[in-house]
């Protein structure tokens, strides 16, 4: 066995990626403080060919040096929109037919292993602030609240880790690879 070289991966060029079919999903970032976490979200969205990212509230937007540092150019390949607040974002996404999935620890959350997906649905997965999580308003207006089970002493995962887990789980269950 040998490690594959980058030039052997047959990755799409940015122009070809722009023309390719994207997965019917959006990522919502609500008040994410770290521009590096935003860049990681872009990079993960690019890896899974996610349709778009919605940047809400204080979340940093491109062009930004720290986003560029972690996105490695994905901020130029993934479509994104900026919203002053989550309410405007959710109204737009719902009007476009997305189901809003809040990723948060909540009293009536669905554990990730029990999340049932439909290939015919468009999902927008919402992730919140690194300290406070998602706003109560967004959690209350989501169609479903999804929780990643955790078994250690900490009560949270880094947002970039959570995004990767959620998107991989969804795409696997929907058989969209």
């Amino acid at each position: 066995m040998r490690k594959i070289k980058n030039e052997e991966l047959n990755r799409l060029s940015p122009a070809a990626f722009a023309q390719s079919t994207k997965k019917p999903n959006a990522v919502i970032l609500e008040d994410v403080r770290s521009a590096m976490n935003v860049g990681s979200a872009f990079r993960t969205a690019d890896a899974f060919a996610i349709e778009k990212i919605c940047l809400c509230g204080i979340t940093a937007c491109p062009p930004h040096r720290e986003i560029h540092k972690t996105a490695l150019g994905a901020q130029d390949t993934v479509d994104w929109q900026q919203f002053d607040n989550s309410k405007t974002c959710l109204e737009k996404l719902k009007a476009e037919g997305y189901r809003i999935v809040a990723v948060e620890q909540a009293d009536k959350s669905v554990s990730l292993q029990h999340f049932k997906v439909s290939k015919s649905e468009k999902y927008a997965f919402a992730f919140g602030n690194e300290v406070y999580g998602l706003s109560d308003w967004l959690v209350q207006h989501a169609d479903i609240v999804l929780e990643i089970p955790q078994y250690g002493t900490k009560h949270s995962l880094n947002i970039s880790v959570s995004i990767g887990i959620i998107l991989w789980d969804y795409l696997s269950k929907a058989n969209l690879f």
Side-chain angles (χ1 to χ4, degrees), residues 13 16 32 34 40 50 53 73-74 86 98 129 139 153 155 157 160 165 169 171:
S13 68
V32 174
S34 166
S40 292
I50 299 304
I53 294 181
S86 300
Y98 285 90
N129 180 278
V139 170
T153 61
H155 302 288
L157 295 166
S160 64
I165 290 170
D169 180 76
L171 294 170

Side-chain angles (χ1 to χ4, degrees), residues 96-139:
E96 294 174 359
Y98 285 90
R99 288 194 68 204
I100 308 302
V101 180
V103 180
E104 187 58 87
Q105 296 165 335
D107 60 350
K108 294 181 181 162
S109 64
V110 173
S111 188
L112 184 60
Q113 69 265 33
H114 302 298
F115 179 46
K116 304 285 188 231
V117 302
S118 169
K119 281 178 127 174
S120 62
E121 296 274 358
K122 292 176 20 172
Y123 295 95
F125 297 98
F127 301 88
N129 180 278
E130 294 89 342
V131 175
Y132 304 109
L134 289 169
S135 67
D136 289 337
W137 185 91
L138 197 150
V139 170

Side-chain angles (χ1 to χ4, degrees), residues 70-81:
T70 52
L72 297 177
Q75 74 280 5
D76 299 326
T77 59
V78 176
D79 288 341
W80 60 274
Q81 297 172 296

Side-chain angles (χ1 to χ4, degrees), residues 82-100:
Q82 196 277 329
F83 297 89
D84 290 335
N85 56 64
S86 300
K87 182 177 187 290
T88 306
C89 175
L90 263 59
E91 288 171 351
K92 183 175 189 322
L93 290 172
K94 285 186 177 192
E96 294 174 359
Y98 285 90
R99 288 194 68 204
I100 308 302

Side-chain angles (χ1 to χ4, degrees), residues 6-19:
N6 282 345
E7 55 272 8
E8 295 176 289
L9 293 174
N10 297 319
R11 297 287 190 215
L12 296 174
S13 68
F17 183 81
Q19 299 301 316

